Amino acid sequence: MKTLLIGEYREGKLLDSTYELLGFASQMGAETAMLLVGSETQLPAYGGTLYLADATTCGEYNPDLHKKLILDAVQKENPDYIVFLHSSYGWDLAPRVAAALKAAQVSEVTGIVPGGFGFGFGFGFEVGCCNAKMRRTVRPNTAPAVLTIQAGAFPVEQMGGTPQLQKLASEGKGALEFIGYEPAEKKEVDLGKAEIVVSVGRGIGKKDNVPAIAALAKALGGELGATRPVVDAGWVEHSHQVGTTGQTVAPKLYVACGISGAIQHLAGIKKSDFIVAINKDKDAPIGEIADVLVVADVMQFVPALTAKVAPVSS
Amino acid sequence: MKLLVCIKQVPDLESRFKPNAEGVWYDETDLAWRMNEYDEYAVEQAVQLREKLGDGAKLTVLSIGPDRVVAAIKKALAMGADNAAHIQDPAAAVKDPWQIASIIAAYAKDKGFDLIFTGMQSQDRGSAQVGVAVAEQLGFACTTTIVGFQYENGTVTAKRELEGGVKGVVKLKTPALVTCQLGLNVPRYPTLPNIMKAKKKEITVIAVADLLSEAALATTASFHPPAKKGGGIVLEGDVGELADKVVAILKDKTAVLR
Ligand SMILES: Cc1cc2nc3c(=O)[nH]c(=O)nc-3n(C[C@H](O)[C@H](O)[C@H](O)COP(=O)(O)OP(=O)(O)OC[C@H]3O[C@@H](n4cnc5c(N)ncnc54)[C@H](O)[C@@H]3O)c2cc1C
């Protein structure tokens, strides 16, 4: 069984998430080859075959060209699985490769379900659904199959060594023109250093309820964080957003108020030492990561808690 | 200019989900339905463009599913779409993304759409495949996860959202398809007069069999709750007592409280 792993490179740098692909391949017990549109000065610590194309000529975001390069490598390697990260690069490119090969795609894989699925190597793949509340086991009906793996679901694995390079080149413009990057907004609040973060989610119900949660943050001597919908709705400034498209936090205490626990939010909080979640839904996925899940109405519970806390620092 | 927006109706995600009899998707009993959140942004963006272009443009909304999806279609019409296509399919939920995309592509193929909007993913399946697969099947230029959109003379300038809040700016020429991310705009609430007006707008019903020719490339073998990780404490009961318990736990387990 062989996997073709599609590495990631952005703004002139090899992304560390590339090594999660190797973690996935070793859980599969699969042979690997890798493809990267990157640079010869930024090679991954990987001792296998690396199909390398130059990002300065092929572009960092040029999906039509990258698709062609991948199809080229697929022809040479004849892999059983073509594996991407489920990232802004991967979820954009994977369906294009799958369509070209008319191959099954399984998105945001979190686990491998071996055996008994009667096609190819018989693997099924576990994926989340219904906002992470439920799971599906999905079986590809084609070989090769295209997979995108959830960020953080498989361990980083640095194989070490120097790759055997197979250089690929591609010409032409592709249907879109990449103009450039816009940097992330400047952080007014550095949540990454905060020892306590109290975050609001959509479950607080309305903007007028934000101050009551902010009062808990203040009473604890911590910072206010927020989920994305709360930021999109204009309840809290973007600089407070926690998650994959916001900030990553690593506090001693994280309090999640009315937050469901979507993967993109969890990715930003999993380095927290201790997590308390308040949610009216006992089955909310935040419960899977929380040390304490308080099943209650957040607007009743939080003021009651605020009244009772006295932080070490005061 | 011809615009198409593709929408899905999904259950309220705060519902409790149970497997259906086949064990491959959720049981639909007692669920409340709404428009997929990502698609609301797609509809809003399409309507804004339709308004900017004026009467030279026409916006069609498409949804695949059983009769219940007409409620989502009506919302899009009330938001400002001109007409609708309801692809009648009681078994839409068991189709894979490739099949759903092929149905949309078969519908759109000879209609001369210049621009197609979809959500970046559905809230219930979350595969993030259908939009891109439609574009590939139609040979349209495509970009995904957009949080900024402008259209001028056959060129779309879109901002893609990347990890860590970085954005990528891309230009694409029509015909094109974009998949819309949360926060792209502020979806409007349909007003009562517009809801009334929408009642007169045309909804064409097409049987899925007329459009589907592809087999599923992937199959759901099972639908189930996550394995319980355990470990965490679950507290329920009177709010005042809960607060005391949490304070006690924080004193015991963390160094943040006195
Ligand atoms: C590419 C991409 C990137 C993303 N990046 C981020 C990111 O960086 N950060 C982020 O947060 N999200 C991000 N998201 C969005 C993410 O998928 C979720 O939609 C989001 O995190 C949900 O926010 P929420 O928990 O506030 O809202 P919901 O999911 O709506 O959850 C609300 C919760 O509140 C509970 N609740 C409701 N009422 C009450 C009450 N009275 N008392 C107690 N509890 C109550 C409900 O049970 C529910 O669990 C991203 C999505 C995508 C696709």
Side-chain angles (χ1 to χ4, degrees):
Chain A
M1 175 178 31
K2 189 184 264 175
T3 53
L4 177 64
L5 311 175
I6 313 300
E8 293 204 11
Y9 179 89
R10 198 170 86 199
E11 295 185 87
K13 286 201 182 68
L14 176 75
L15 302 189
D16 280 342
S17 50
T18 300
Y19 295 109
E20 294 176 24
L21 297 163
L22 288 167
F24 171 81
S26 73
Q27 280 196 16
M28 287 281 282
E31 283 172 50
T32 62
M34 194 184 282
L35 180 144
L36 181 70
V37 183
S39 158
E40 220 171 324
T41 63
Q42 293 262 330
L43 293 177
Y46 168 66
T49 302
L50 177 68
Y51 292 89
L52 183 73
D54 190 350
T56 53
T57 56
C58 296
E60 292 187 5
Y61 179 65
N62 187 339
D64 293 314
L65 231 57
H66 290 205
K67 174 177 76 178
K68 272 198 222 159
L69 294 165
I70 292 168
L71 293 176
D72 201 4
V74 167
Q75 202 154 48
K76 293 185 170 116
E77 286 292 323
N78 202 15
D80 301 290
Y81 299 99
I82 304 156
V83 192
F84 297 79
L85 284 149
H86 195 72
S87 63
S88 59
Y89 180 72
W91 67 60
D92 184 277
L93 189 52
R96 304 180 200 248
V97 172
L101 295 167
K102 218 173 158 185
Q105 180 184 335
V106 186
S107 299
E108 205 165 6
V109 170
T110 57
I112 301 161
V113 186
F117 290 101
F119 196 91
F121 290 88
F123 284 107
F125 298 95
E126 185 95 338
V127 303
C129 58
C130 299
N131 234 2
K133 281 185 159 183
M134 299 295 286
R135 300 283 183 273
R136 288 192 303 143
T137 305
V138 186
R139 160 170 60 85
N141 299 333
T142 67
V146 171
L147 309 173
T148 63
I149 61 169
Q150 186 178 78
F154 295 91
V156 164
E157 193 166 297
Q158 300 223 3
M159 196 183 173
T162 319
Q164 291 107 55
L165 294 187
Q166 296 267 354
K167 294 206 181 158
L168 296 176
S170 186
E171 306 254 309
K173 275 189 66 172
L176 35 100
E177 188 189 347
F178 183 66
I179 308 297
Y181 294 104
E182 250 179 36
E185 280 168 49
K186 252 186 103 64
K187 303 178 204 171
E188 280 149 48
V189 203
D190 189 355
L191 296 177
K193 294 207 178 70
E195 297 220 325
I196 298 174
V197 178
V198 178
S199 286
V200 291
R202 188 147 51 181
I204 65 161
K206 53 181 184 204
K207 186 175 182 172
D208 292 351
N209 286 336
V210 173
I213 311 291
L216 174 62
K218 186 146 184 263
L220 287 167
E223 297 283 354
L224 184 72
T227 64
R228 174 172 187 139
V230 163
V231 170
D232 286 342
W235 297 359
V236 173
E237 299 255 298
H238 180 264
S239 54
H240 293 268
Q241 186 179 315
V242 176
T244 47
T245 48
Q247 299 191 50
T248 300
V249 300
K252 289 185 180 149
L253 172 64
Y254 188 80
V255 186
C257 305
I259 294 176
S260 62
I263 175 68
Q264 295 90 356
H265 189 76
L266 299 188
I269 69 171
K270 63 185 176 205
K271 290 192 194 132
S272 307
D273 289 342
F274 200 82
I275 298 175
V276 176
I278 301 103
N279 201 302
K280 66 171 188 191
D281 178 3
K282 203 176 167 176
D283 295 329
I286 189 85
E288 287 175 48
I289 182 173
D291 297 282
V292 178
L293 173 65
V294 180
V295 183
D297 182 295
V298 65
M299 296 318 300
Q300 288 180 16
F301 174 78
V302 170
L305 181 63
T306 307
K308 288 183 175 155
V309 294
V312 173
S313 49
S314 67
Chain B
M1 183 157 181
K2 292 185 80 177
L3 311 173
L4 177 69
V5 60
C6 305
I7 64 170
K8 180 177 182 180
Q9 193 190 41
V10 296
D12 180 341
L13 272 299
E14 288 186 16
S15 319
R16 183 150 296 174
F17 294 98
K18 330 187 264 297
N20 61 13
E22 298 75 33
V24 295
W25 196 227
Y26 47 71
D27 180 0
E28 294 197 356
T29 323
D30 297 335
L31 293 178
W33 300 89
R34 43 164 297 169
M35 193 191 301
N36 179 39
E37 195 175 9
Y38 296 85
D39 302 346
E40 288 182 354
Y41 292 91
V43 173
E44 176 62 32
Q45 204 59 50
V47 169
Q48 284 184 16
L49 180 59
R50 160 73 178 83
E51 289 172 344
K52 184 178 145 199
L53 295 170
D55 286 339
K58 196 155 204 161
L59 171 61
T60 302
V61 53
L62 173 151
S63 191
I64 306 172
D67 286 339
R68 61 170 162 75
V69 308
V70 173
I73 288 177
K74 285 196 171 144
K75 179 170 183 189
L77 291 172
M79 286 172 78
D82 295 290
N83 57 24
H86 171 206
I87 318 292
Q88 170 63 253
D89 183 6
V94 296
K95 297 205 165 54
D96 78 339
W98 174 256
Q99 287 178 302
I100 296 292
S102 74
I103 294 166
I104 298 171
Y107 168 81
K109 191 174 62 197
D110 46 17
K111 300 214 169 39
F113 289 113
D114 300 286
L115 203 45
I116 302 179
F117 297 83
T118 71
M120 76 153 289
Q121 62 183 14
S122 61
Q123 289 173 281
D124 56 354
R125 272 298 168 108
S127 295
Q129 294 179 27
V130 171
V132 185
V134 169
E136 289 295 300
Q137 293 187 26
L138 292 172
F140 278 30
C142 168
T143 195
T144 58
T145 337
I146 67 164
V147 290
F149 175 90
Q150 275 181 314
Y151 173 81
E152 211 68 63
N153 289 327
T155 301
V156 172
T157 306
K159 253 185 224 176
R160 300 190 69 217
E161 186 180 53
L162 313 177
E163 288 70 20
V166 179
K167 297 183 180 92
V169 182
V170 289
K171 281 190 191 297
L172 41 168
K173 292 222 177 330
T174 55
L177 182 148
V178 292
T179 80
C180 302
Q181 164 68 318
L182 308 173
L184 169 62
N185 48 44
V186 182
R188 69 193 66 190
Y189 291 104
T191 59
L192 193 57
N194 285 339
I195 293 171
M196 299 315 287
K197 253 196 257 170
K199 294 199 165 137
K200 296 199 194 78
K201 293 179 179 175
E202 190 187 358
I203 303 177
T204 308
V205 182
I206 303 165
V208 70
D210 295 345
L211 296 171
L212 179 70
S213 56
E214 296 285 329
L217 301 177
T219 308
T220 303
S222 105
F223 174 85
H224 50 268
K228 278 270 167 269
K229 184 199 74 166
I233 310 167
V234 178
L235 301 176
E236 287 175 271
D238 172 75
V239 165
E241 284 167 26
L242 286 175
D244 288 329
K245 281 187 196 158
V246 169
V247 168
I249 292 169
L250 291 181
K251 281 183 179 162
D252 184 32
K253 297 276 168 67
T254 75
V256 301
L257 287 188
R258 282 188 283 179

